[in-house]
Amino acid sequence: MSVGFIGAGQLAFALARGFTAAGVLAAHKITASSPDTDLPTVSRLRKMGVNFTVSNKDTVKSSDVLFLAVKPPIIPFILEEVGPDIEARHIVVSCAAGVTINSIEKKLCTFCPTPKVIRCMTNTPVIVREGATVYATGTHADVEDGKLLEQLMASVGFCTEVEEDLIDAVTGLSGSGPAYAFTALDALADGGVKMGLPRRLAVRLGAQALLGAAKMLLESEQHPGQLKDNVCSPGGATIHALHFLESGGFRSLLINAVEASCIRTRELQHLADQEKISPAAIKKTLLDKVKLESPSLSVASAGKVSLFTNKSKKN
Amino acid sequence: GKVPAGNILASAPSDKNLESWRELGCRTTHCNLEVVQRSTLVFLATKPHVLPGVLEEIRPAVGSHHIVVSLVAGVTIQTLQKLLPPWTKVLRLMPNLPCVVQAGAMVFSRGSSAGDEESALLRALLSSCGLCEEVPESYLDIHTGLSGSGVAYVYLFAEALAEGAVKMGMPGALAGRIAAQTLLGAAKMLLETGEHPAKLRGDVCTPGGTTIHALHQLEKGALRATVMNAVEAATNRAADMAKR
């Protein structure tokens, strides 16, 4: 099986790294493409032994499973560009936040009658094989296709199938989650430093504490509330600290964060559907390069790009 | 039904409160000494500033067969033992209001001369009023903050719940009864299932449903921290009052 990545940024790198480390895929079976060769991840991918090309079409041709690992506003351009090369055998996996299966299928159906589309939401810790991934299968993707993806993603962490309407919530929770954790860890380390620990040690200990706690929770039948209680001896240090967290509304901040990320994801999707993203939001070099490859791409009006135009390609 | 009313003798300087005792079938008197002379188990239930005088008064009649149980807030076992004959069996009890409806929460601790027998006797007697546990004396003030005063926090919460319902269109009396029953039911589930409250809370929260939306509001208002503050404040106050 060969895997291709349209896009050679953080996500492509994280997944490629994870798959090869897990041994489910040899590096030379992976192709990644991007018009931008200056990305730091490009050289890292090359070093890994991944086939790198500037041609998205080449990636499609040499892959069975095709990951769309570009930012959401770029997706429509990519689909226009590589659409003609998508065959029934391909499994197209979109990792783009907020981009619906329906929107992708609509675009691809103009080229291929039954495109296999799977929508997936993962997160960066796939790089250390502790990713959190969910996926939803599209109209023409079979159970086996879903299972194939699940096997791939399970090699780099936790993976489960969900209904598509939950994916935005997953984005808010585990998609963005690592960022919340990094923020917390930075702050915890600050606390350690304030109380006299050297920074490196503080970071190491903070990270290990969160890692350990997460592991305990995953391996335990107990409720996190119970696990918390188990740490809080009466009148002790921990309960004093927790009181501070509660006073600061720690819990509600986290709830707010997950909610905000989920809502923003939906907003972005809504914006995309309404074709409101301006070309200015897309890096100029990228846009130019993509337009060169796909002369059929239409610019509906000055300043606005029609993202999901119903214009079928003239062939 | 643990003790026949006729075996209970209560004293007070005036008749103001004694009438309600007599209605229960208890005997009453104005003489504290009489209570001590005619009883084995003596409860001290005066206001704190009155107690030293009362102890001085009854001290001559207190013997080694007596069990003296103080309900007086803020008066330590050490103080009680100082004001009573040495070797007096002294215990200190903190109840809470719902003892009245036999759903109380009580804790007690024993003085140096009170033994397992006295402890067992007290627990057996008081379990008729609700939960009764022996604890180290340092927990008594905490109990005040948690449960003695805690009852008031619950009344406040019940009132607020009902008010929310009234705002949404329910008549107040009905809202009040439902609020109370909700608290009762939730408490009963906690006590009977022995599950962690966080787990029971999670069980009620369907994804994206009404409960989780409401809980988010409570968390935004830092309810947890506020409640912790309340327990802390009451406990500290109890400790302060004891020092005076």
Side-chain angles (χ1 to χ4, degrees):
Chain A
M1 169 185 56
S2 52
V3 166
F5 291 95
I6 306 283
Q10 297 290 344
L11 182 62
F13 175 66
L15 285 172
R17 176 65 163 264
F19 293 153
T20 50
V24 291
L25 213 49
H28 66 269
K29 293 288 232 167
I30 304 176
T31 310
S33 55
S34 167
D36 187 349
T37 50
D38 290 332
L39 293 171
T41 40
V42 168
S43 55
R44 278 189 250 148
L45 281 164
R46 279 201 168 114
K47 273 205 201 99
M48 271 171 61
V50 166
N51 304 306
F52 179 80
T53 166
V54 290
S55 165
N56 290 333
K57 282 169 167 319
D58 284 350
T59 302
V60 177
K61 290 193 179 120
S62 56
S63 308
D64 305 309
V65 178
L66 183 70
F67 283 92
L68 305 180
V70 294
K71 293 199 174 34
I74 309 281
I75 293 279
F77 297 104
I78 296 298
L79 294 174
E80 273 283 345
E81 184 197 344
V82 304
D85 303 298
I86 300 287
E87 295 164 34
R89 65 175 179 91
H90 282 110
I91 302 175
V92 177
V93 183
S94 164
C95 304
V99 178
T100 59
I101 292 176
N102 187 46
S103 63
I104 299 174
E105 283 179 347
K106 253 187 3 213
K107 208 83 168 97
L108 290 179
C109 279
T110 62
F111 303 108
C112 164
T114 56
K116 288 180 201 268
V117 176
I118 302 183
R119 181 180 172 187
C120 146
M121 170 50 54
T122 183
N123 65 359
T124 44
V126 290
I127 203 175
V128 293
R129 298 170 61 201
E130 286 292 358
T133 310
V134 300
Y135 69 95
T137 48
T139 325
H140 310 289
D142 306 318
V143 175
E144 300 91 59
D145 302 320
K147 289 297 166 198
L148 180 65
L149 179 70
E150 190 171 319
Q151 263 184 318
L152 256 180
M153 299 310 291
S155 72
V156 291
F158 171 74
C159 180
T160 190
E161 185 174 8
V162 295
E163 298 289 322
E164 191 183 4
D165 59 2
L166 296 184
I167 295 189
D168 294 333
V170 174
T171 308
L173 173 56
S174 55
S176 300
Y180 315 154
F182 293 137
T183 307
L185 286 168
D186 202 8
L188 284 170
D190 277 345
V193 169
K194 178 173 178 182
M195 302 320 289
L197 296 178
R199 170 70 57 176
R200 272 184 103 119
L201 181 60
V203 171
R204 186 75 185 73
L205 292 173
Q208 189 64 32
L210 287 196
L211 174 65
K215 204 164 182 198
M216 276 183 75
L217 180 55
L218 288 171
E219 294 185 6
S220 165
E221 300 279 303
Q222 295 187 302
H223 194 281
Q226 180 65 61
L227 292 171
K228 162 182 61 81
D229 284 0
N230 295 347
V231 189
C232 292
S233 22
T238 311
I239 189 71
H240 271 74
L242 277 181
H243 192 179
F244 263 99
L245 288 181
E246 297 290 2
S247 299
F250 185 58
R251 291 174 185 255
S252 80
L253 284 179
L254 291 171
I255 300 173
N256 292 346
V258 174
E259 187 176 45
S261 173
C262 175
I263 289 176
R264 180 61 179 162
T265 304
R266 289 187 193 142
E267 227 169 61
L268 289 170
Q269 176 210 310
H270 190 60
L271 286 173
D273 285 348
Q274 291 194 337
E275 313 181 8
K276 277 204 167 66
I277 306 236
S278 70
I282 301 166
K283 240 164 64 176
K284 184 123 198 343
T285 46
L286 239 48
L287 191 55
D288 284 343
K289 282 182 177 156
V290 172
K291 277 205 278 195
L292 276 174
E293 306 242 352
S294 312
S296 68
L297 208 57
S298 69
V299 180
S301 58
K304 291 265 185 270
V305 177
S306 164
L307 292 186
F308 289 105
T309 175
N310 280 326
K311 267 206 178 102
S312 49
K313 191 171 191 294
K314 296 184 186 90
N315 249 330
Chain B
K2 287 255 161 83
V3 179
N7 287 13
I8 299 177
L9 175 63
S11 67
S14 77
D15 249 357
K16 204 165 47 154
N17 298 321
L18 289 178
E19 185 55 46
S20 41
W21 288 80
R22 286 196 287 268
E23 275 168 21
L24 287 175
C26 304
R27 294 171 295 129
T28 61
T29 170
H30 292 303
C31 178
N32 294 332
L33 265 179
E34 194 188 331
V35 173
V36 176
Q37 284 156 348
R38 300 172 71 169
S39 317
T40 27
L41 180 59
V42 179
F43 284 92
L44 303 172
T46 70
K47 293 242 177 345
H49 65 274
V50 172
L51 188 65
V54 167
L55 289 178
E56 220 184 280
E57 194 190 326
I58 62 170
R59 196 192 152 109
V62 173
S64 54
H65 63 285
H66 280 112
I67 304 171
V68 178
V69 180
S70 167
L71 292 151
V72 183
V75 179
T76 59
I77 291 178
Q78 190 187 42
T79 308
L80 292 164
Q81 287 179 164
K82 251 194 352 220
L83 295 173
L84 288 169
W87 313 125
T88 309
K89 302 191 192 84
V90 171
L91 299 110
R92 196 181 151 197
L93 171 71
M94 285 307 295
N96 73 348
L97 196 53
C99 290
V100 163
V101 293
Q102 288 150 334
M106 296 155 280
V107 293
F108 69 91
S109 26
R110 44 170 123 160
S112 35
S113 304
D116 293 337
E117 234 185 83
E118 286 71 50
S119 170
L121 172 71
L122 198 58
R123 195 181 304 113
L125 186 64
L126 294 174
S127 57
S128 59
C129 299
L131 175 73
C132 184
E133 301 266 1
E134 183 174 352
V135 298
E137 194 178 7
S138 60
Y139 291 8
L140 293 184
D141 288 339
I142 307 173
H143 176 267
T144 303
L146 168 62
S147 184
S149 300
V151 184
Y153 320 156
V154 177
Y155 293 148
L156 191 150
F157 191 64
E159 195 181 346
L161 280 174
E163 217 146 39
V166 169
K167 178 178 175 180
M168 303 318 291
M170 185 180 281
L174 179 61
R177 284 201 306 280
I178 296 179
Q181 185 68 21
T182 305
L183 289 167
L184 177 65
K188 206 169 179 196
M189 282 192 70
L190 257 176
L191 288 169
E192 287 186 8
T193 65
E195 305 238 53
H196 195 283
K199 160 127 197 332
L200 290 172
R201 171 173 50 88
D203 289 346
V204 190
C205 293
T206 26
T210 62
T211 311
I212 191 69
H213 273 75
L215 283 176
H216 192 183
Q217 290 300 318
L218 293 178
E219 297 288 4
K220 280 184 190 170
L223 177 65
R224 292 174 186 258
T226 310
V227 171
M228 286 176 79
N229 291 344
V231 174
E232 189 172 335
T235 304
N236 287 340
R237 182 63 178 156
D240 279 345
M241 287 170 73
K243 287 199 192 97
R244 300 214 190 128

